[in-house]
Amino acid sequence: MRNFSRRDFVRLFAVAAGGAFLPPSLAIAQETDETCTAFSPSLAVEIADMFSENCIEDRPSAGNPLPLIDCNGNQIGWSVDYTLDGQPHGYILLDTTVEGLISRYSEYPGTKNLYDTAVSSREVSLRSINNSPAIVKMSPLDFGAFDEPSLSSYSRDGGITPLSSSPTSWDNLMIDMSKLFGNPYTVVGADDLGDYWFLTESQIKNHTGKYACGVTALFTIAGLTQFGNRFLIDTTSEYTADWDAYDKLWTSTATVNDGYSDGKILGSTKYEMVGIGFTTYCLTQHSYVQGNSGKYNPTLSDYKTSVANKKHSVFSANILKTDGSKSGHIMAVSGWRTLSGSGSTINGLIVYDGWSDMVFLNTSFSGYVSTYGTFF
């Protein structure tokens, strides 16, 4: 079980205003030279170290920069590891395609980078695991490990996606310094549900032999829903968790088997069944009446109201994959943030990504094919 405190929410949000924490020497360079500068591995580590010093309580050390590339094979930034006392302590993604450069980070002890996560169970399949490691950003939520000989991305669920070209060199990767330091974003609105805990994808698979993002979102919410003097289920530890509840939620949401990964069943849940399934589960298993509502294209105001009333909600979205097919994901919501700066506003949700981490998710992302909100 991982716990995410209110203090962590405050620190997480610094991600979106990351430009304010970049090294002073770079800010001076912008004042005297408005041209672009090469985004080298050493510069990535310097930025990551400064972010750690200002935003991460334990101040882990930065190192091991890995290229971050898009689904067309173009390098768009770096992933930098954090270590503390020689042990993994998270990572940070420096992405030149997003405002403020810093798109995502994790500071949990034992957390490895997204490349290591993707290949942890697929080392036999990757032919170049020690040659040219890189992380492929397939979408704001989907990341894979780059395999150089096949020019493909290997995802955590076993999927293989060919890239259209070979990754570029960092020598061709440049940063527009004026965009980084012109006008950093500031927080103009924020709220959250308070302390938040969850069980990870690997723990769920190990104990149930299956995984579905919609069921995981509801399993997480059930572990945080007060019922009398207790929670609906126990999710405080993988060893005491009510794992039978995962199967019951799978059934009540009409989740269907959608393939296998390393012998584990992968499930798919219709967005409309998320609310109905949770209400059914609460009534049949706990005699607890849980109302629900759902809508396509939910607004930030919908989530603001839900969080203000200390009610749980779910965010679901579809994206278009490179092969033209749709890929959906369902996530439990724990808060929201609004950023303002550089003449624009970014609205986002704090969600449990369903895999291993809490992330700031930009709900204004133009790449969503459709979105759906479930409110309890």
Side-chain angles (χ1 to χ4, degrees):
M1 187 271 289
R2 287 187 167 182
N3 185 67
F4 205 73
S5 69
R6 185 176 294 273
R7 180 181 60 184
D8 292 323
F9 279 103
V10 176
R11 288 210 306 274
L12 174 63
F13 190 67
V15 146
F21 303 106
L22 297 178
S25 60
L26 297 183
I28 295 174
Q30 185 272 329
E31 293 173 359
T32 58
D33 183 3
E34 294 184 356
T35 62
C36 293
T37 185
F39 194 8
S40 66
S42 59
L43 179 56
V45 172
E46 183 180 359
I47 293 172
D49 260 330
M50 183 61 68
F51 184 82
S52 173
E53 182 178 342
N54 285 279
C55 303
I56 301 180
E57 184 178 14
D58 295 327
R59 297 185 179 181
S61 300
N64 187 36
L66 297 178
L68 177 66
I69 61 179
D70 64 18
C71 57
N72 294 316
N74 302 308
Q75 185 170 357
I76 56 175
W78 297 94
S79 169
V80 182
D81 290 0
Y82 283 128
T83 59
L84 187 66
D85 298 327
Q87 299 301 313
H89 202 82
Y91 61 87
I92 187 168
L93 295 187
L94 306 176
D95 185 345
T96 59
T97 67
V98 301
E99 295 283 354
L101 186 64
I102 301 172
S103 65
R104 173 173 174 161
Y105 85 101
S106 172
E107 58 174 275
Y108 284 116
T111 299
K112 298 180 179 180
N113 61 53
L114 294 169
Y115 178 87
D116 289 338
T117 299
V119 304
S120 60
S121 61
R122 306 193 59 80
E123 292 191 15
V124 176
S125 299
L126 287 181
R127 290 170 284 171
S128 61
I129 196 165
N130 294 317
N131 293 340
S132 301
I135 296 169
V136 184
K137 177 185 177 182
M138 308 304 295
S139 80
L141 290 174
D142 297 325
F143 298 87
F146 174 64
D147 178 49
E148 186 177 25
S150 65
L151 294 182
S152 299
S153 171
Y154 284 70
S155 66
R156 63 198 302 152
D157 63 3
I160 303 174
T161 304
L163 304 186
S164 62
S165 62
S166 179
T168 58
S169 162
W170 73 262
D171 296 292
N172 299 320
L173 185 66
M174 308 294 285
I175 301 179
D176 184 341
M177 301 302 285
S178 64
K179 289 184 178 179
L180 289 180
F181 301 100
N183 186 8
Y185 279 94
T186 57
V187 182
V188 295
D191 197 7
D192 59 69
L193 295 176
D195 289 358
Y196 213 83
W197 55 88
F198 52 85
L199 291 164
T200 67
E201 176 190 20
S202 61
Q203 292 170 331
I204 291 170
K205 286 182 174 178
N206 288 340
H207 287 272
T208 68
K210 59 179 63 175
Y211 173 83
C213 57
V215 177
T216 297
L218 296 180
F219 188 69
T220 300
I221 289 174
L224 294 160
T225 299
Q226 195 78 30
F227 179 52
N229 60 355
R230 63 179 179 85
F231 294 104
L232 281 179
I233 63 174
D234 179 11
T235 58
T236 57
S237 167
E238 65 173 308
Y239 304 108
T240 60
D242 297 328
W243 291 115
D244 286 345
Y246 199 86
D247 282 325
K248 292 173 181 177
L249 284 165
W250 189 287
T251 301
S252 67
T253 55
T255 296
V256 297
N257 294 2
D258 194 33
Y260 294 84
S261 175
D262 297 322
K264 310 297 184 182
I265 298 172
L266 300 180
S268 176
T269 310
K270 291 183 178 179
Y271 295 160
E272 296 87 349
M273 287 302 300
V274 172
I276 295 172
F278 192 60
T279 295
T280 301
Y281 166 79
C282 290
L283 185 61
T284 58
Q285 301 299 321
H286 302 279
S287 298
Y288 174 72
V289 179
Q290 172 66 71
N292 78 86
S293 63
K295 63 184 294 187
Y296 279 96
N297 303 315
T299 65
L300 183 67
S301 295
D302 294 324
Y303 288 101
K304 282 184 175 181
T305 300
S306 181
V307 173
N309 292 329
K310 300 303 177 186
K311 298 292 186 179
H312 289 282
S313 58
V314 175
F315 179 76
S316 307
N318 273 330
I319 58 172
L320 200 63
K321 299 172 65 175
T322 54
D323 61 3
S325 64
K326 291 182 180 179
S327 175
H329 197 47
I330 301 172
M331 297 153 284
V333 175
S334 58
W336 62 270
R337 301 290 186 269
T338 295
L339 309 179
S340 180
S342 300
S344 63
T345 298
I346 296 179
N347 294 315
L349 300 175
I350 303 296
V351 301
Y352 167 43
D353 65 9
W355 298 310
S356 62
D357 215 346
M358 302 295 294
V359 299
F360 174 83
L361 180 67
N362 184 354
T363 55
S364 300
F365 173 58
S366 60
Y368 294 131
V369 176
S370 63
T371 59
Y372 189 87
T374 305
F375 303 90
F376 299 112

